[in-house]
Amino acid sequence: SARDIDPARLPPRECPRFQAFATRMSARSVVLVFSSYYLNNPASAFGHTFLRLGKEDAGKVGERFDLIDQGVDYSATANTSNAFLYAAKGLFGFFRGEFTARPFFYKVREYADYESRDLWQYELALEPAEIDLLVRHLWELGQTYFDYYYLTENCSYHVLGALEAAAPRLRLLGQLGPVTLPADAVKALFANPGLVRAVRFRPSARTQLAARAAGLDGAGIDAAMELADGASSAEALRALTPEARVHVLDTALDLVDVRSGRAIVQGTDAGAERLRQRLLEERSALGLPSPPLVIPPPATGGPERGHGSMRLALGGGGSTADGPITLLEGRLALHDLLDPPAGFSGRTQLEFVKVRAAWAPRAGSLRLDEALLVDATSLNVFDRFERRVSWKMKAGAARVTDRGCAGCVAGRFEVGGGPALVTANEALAVSATADAELLGAPDLHGLGGHGLRPGFGPGGMVRLLIGQRASLLASATWRWLPLASPRTTYSLSGGGRVHLGRASLGAEWTATPLGHELLGLVYLYGG
C-alpha cells in the first residue's frame, strides 16, 4: 500500500519549469486581496479576490516593495463581448476558469489605476511549509482549468479552495453559503481566529486624486485643471510658491492618470502621453520632494464588516386600494442604498434576484409586487475634475400601479442616467436622471393599444446616511407614455431604516395613481 512506501528511497526528479516558477514566486508570505465593487464591468460588479505572494516576510515593518510580488488570479477566460451572452455563459458554466500569475503591479494597474477600485489586503498567518505547499498546488492548478460559474465556483471559491489545500487546518469553503461572493470569502478568513495577521488599504487612483485635491484652494484647483487640459505651466503656475507648484503639478498628474492612464500605458493616446511626460519633466525640475499622501481607510471599513449578502424582509401595513396587507420579501444579493453602510460604498446599489409579494386579507388575494433579476445604481462623481454620468438599470417584472392594467404584473426594463452629487463622506447623495423604461403584459393598455408600453421622463433621488446606524431615502419619477392609456404616470416614495446588527427596522411610504401605501418592515441579513 502507499503507507509502506518510503519516500526517501524514491529517486529524485527535477522539473526545471516548476523550479523556475517557484523561483519567480519566491513566496515568503501570502495576502488575500479584495478589489472593491465595480459596476461598470459585469464581471466585477460583486468585487474580486486574488492572492498576492509576497517576497518579504509577513509582518515586515518599514519600507515595503509589494509591487514586485506576484499576483495569482482565478478568472473566466471570456470569449464574447456581448453583455447578455457573457451573463448567460458566466451563470451556467460555459467559460473556462483558469489560474494565472502576473507581477502585482499589473494587478494594481488594472484595478486601482484603470478601474479606480480601492484594494483591501489581508495578510495571512500561514506557516512556511503551508506557503511552500500553496506554491506547489498553484503550479498544478495552472496546468488545467475548471468550468467557471459566476455565482458559485468563481474567483473566491477557488482561491479559498487553494488555501484550504495548502493548509487543511483552515475551514474556509464551509463558511460559504449557496452563493459565493468575494466579500463572503473575506469573512471566511475572519471565521478562522488568528488567520488574518494584518489588514492594509491601498487607495485607487481616483481616491488619491480626491485626497490631493482636497488640500488645494480654488486657484490651485483651477491651475491643476488647466495643466491637465494642456495649458502652459508658465501661465498656470506663475503666481504660486514652489511648494504650491509641487502640489498643483502632483494633482494635475493624478488627474491625467485618472483620465488617460489606460490609454497612456496601451499607447493609444499619444497626446496624453506627451502631456504627462511634459508635466513630469516640469515636476522634476522643481527639485522638491512631495509631502507624504496619507489616506486613511474609509470609515465604513472593509468587506469583512459588511452585512450578509442575502436578505429576508417581513412586514405589514395598509394600502388605500387593498386595505391591510402583509408583506414578504427575499433577496439573493447584495446591497441597496438603504442597507447598513459598513463595508460597502455609499455610491453603489446592486441587488440580484429580489422578489416581493403581499397578502391582502380584505380582498383575499396574493399579489406579486416585484420580481427583479437585477437592480443596479452607480452614483459617479460629477464635479470640476470629472463629469462622469451616474446611471441606473433595472430588469425583471413589477406590478403596474396605474390605470394601464390596474395591478397586473408586467415585464419591466428601465435605464436612466444623469448627474449626481455625493459628499466626500458619502453621507449625502443626490441624483437627477433622464429615464426610459419598457413594460410588457398582455392586458396592458400600451403603445397604440398593444401590450408594450414605453415610458420616458425624469427621476430624482436623495439619500442621507446618519452615521452607520440609520439611513433615509426619497425618490420620485414621472413618465410620459406615448399613445398609451393613461398618457402619464408617476411614483413617489420615501423610507428609512435603523440598523441593529444583523437586523434592520424600516418604514416605507409610496404614492402612485392607484393610491398610497405605508409599510413597516423587519430586515434580516444572512449568508
Side-chain angles (χ1 to χ4, degrees):
S1 66
R3 289 178 297 178
D4 298 327
I5 297 176
D6 182 7
R9 298 179 61 190
L10 297 176
R13 299 295 298 270
E14 296 293 332
C15 178
R17 291 177 59 204
F18 168 71
Q19 293 300 330
F21 175 79
T23 301
R24 179 159 61 96
M25 297 294 107
S26 296
R28 303 178 69 176
S29 62
V30 178
V31 175
L32 186 138
V33 183
F34 175 86
S35 178
S36 59
Y37 310 99
Y38 184 64
L39 267 63
N40 294 325
N41 180 358
S44 299
F46 292 104
H48 183 60
T49 53
F50 61 97
L51 295 176
R52 174 168 67 81
L53 303 187
K55 299 180 185 296
E56 299 172 338
D57 290 327
K60 177 186 175 182
V61 296
E63 188 175 9
R64 304 172 67 89
F65 300 96
D66 296 349
L67 292 178
I68 63 173
D69 292 342
Q70 289 290 317
V72 179
D73 193 32
Y74 176 84
S75 59
T77 303
N79 53 18
T80 178
S81 58
N82 182 288
F84 293 101
L85 190 58
Y86 183 95
K89 285 190 170 186
L91 288 172
F92 298 106
F94 290 104
F95 286 136
R96 290 172 56 151
E98 298 175 307
F99 277 89
T100 57
R102 302 188 74 182
F104 183 57
F105 64 80
Y106 277 100
K107 313 307 293 181
V108 172
R109 176 67 76 177
E110 177 182 1
Y111 297 123
D113 295 345
Y114 291 171
E115 299 178 353
S116 289
R117 300 165 67 179
D118 296 327
L119 302 180
W120 290 88
Q121 303 185 72
Y122 300 88
E123 194 172 89
L124 306 182
L126 298 182
E127 299 296 331
E130 294 170 338
I131 297 175
D132 179 68
L133 184 56
L134 176 62
V135 171
R136 295 174 181 272
H137 185 48
L138 291 173
W139 166 256
E140 294 175 330
L141 295 175
Q143 315 302 310
T144 186
Y145 73 92
F146 303 91
D147 293 332
Y148 183 93
Y149 292 89
Y150 185 65
L151 295 179
T152 52
E153 296 181 24
N154 52 25
C155 64
S156 297
Y157 178 90
H158 282 283
V159 164
L160 293 185
L163 290 173
E164 266 197 2
R169 62 185 174 87
L170 302 178
R171 186 172 182 270
L172 298 172
L173 292 177
Q175 305 291 340
L176 302 177
V179 175
T180 304
L181 299 179
D184 296 333
V186 174
K187 294 175 185 177
L189 302 179
F190 285 85
N192 292 260
L195 176 58
V196 177
R197 188 194 306 269
V199 180
R200 293 185 173 85
F201 174 73
R202 189 182 192 97
S204 68
R206 185 166 279 110
T207 301
Q208 294 180 59
L209 171 62
R212 210 180 297 276
L216 292 176
D217 57 15
I221 291 177
D222 289 339
M225 291 184 62
E226 291 173 12
L227 291 173
D229 290 336
S232 168
S233 299
E235 297 177 6
L237 303 177
R238 180 182 298 117
L240 301 179
T241 65
E243 291 77 11
R245 292 180 184 182
V246 166
H247 196 165
V248 168
L249 279 167
D250 286 345
T251 305
L253 281 163
D254 283 349
L255 182 53
V256 171
D257 281 341
V258 168
R259 288 176 175 176
S260 308
R262 182 190 293 267
I264 291 173
V265 172
Q266 295 177 344
T268 58
D269 190 339
E273 188 173 355
R274 286 193 298 269
L275 172 61
R276 188 174 189 275
Q277 181 62 32
R278 177 170 65 81
L279 293 177
L280 285 171
E281 291 172 359
E282 294 172 358
R283 171 65 186 88
S284 177
L286 292 176
L288 294 175
S290 301
L293 184 62
V294 179
I295 301 177
T300 53
E304 73 277 7
R305 293 183 54 191
H307 59 75
S309 55
M310 291 185 290
R311 190 185 73 190
L312 180 68
L314 304 169
S319 166
T320 56
D322 297 330
I325 56 175
T326 303
L327 180 139
L328 174 65
E329 177 185 285
R331 182 187 72 192
L332 190 60
L334 169 69
H335 178 76
D336 69 25
L337 292 173
L338 277 173
D339 278 335
F344 289 89
S345 167
R347 299 186 293 107
T348 61
Q349 169 174 302
L350 179 60
E351 295 190 286
F352 188 77
V353 184
K354 183 176 78 170
V355 178
R356 171 179 282 201
W359 167 255
R362 190 172 70 184
S365 63
L366 178 66
R367 75 187 198 201
L368 177 65
D369 285 352
E370 205 170 43
L372 292 177
L373 176 62
V374 63
D375 182 359
T377 298
S378 179
L379 301 175
N380 293 317
V381 175
F382 197 90
D383 57 18
R384 296 185 63 187
F385 281 142
E386 295 185 273
R387 299 292 188 268
R388 291 197 299 155
V389 173
S390 296
W391 58 269
K392 62 183 180 181
M393 189 270 284
K394 188 177 294 186
R399 188 170 67 98
V400 179
T401 54
D402 56 44
R403 302 299 176 186
C405 60
C408 70
V409 177
R412 179 184 184 187
F413 181 75
E414 176 186 348
V415 294
L421 169 67
V422 184
T423 57
N425 61 0
E426 299 184 338
L428 176 65
V430 181
S431 70
T433 56
D435 302 338
E437 70 174 11
L438 180 65
L439 300 182
D443 298 329
L444 187 63
H445 303 302
L447 189 67
H450 295 86
L452 290 178
R453 191 178 83 177
F456 309 93
M461 183 276 298
V462 178
R463 196 280 318 275
L464 177 66
L465 298 178
I466 306 172
Q468 297 190 28
R469 289 298 183 184
S471 47
L472 302 171
L473 186 145
S475 64
T477 63
W478 181 88
R479 297 285 184 266
W480 170 57
L481 313 173
L483 301 179
S485 177
R487 291 297 179 90
T488 64
T489 188
Y490 69 89
S491 69
L492 304 172
S493 66
R497 295 180 200 163
V498 177
H499 310 304
L500 308 170
R502 295 175 62 90
S504 295
L505 303 179
E508 295 181 6
W509 169 82
T510 58
T512 69
L514 292 185
H516 302 258
E517 196 165 277
L518 181 63
L519 300 170
L521 301 104
V522 177
Y523 298 88
L524 304 173
Y525 299 89

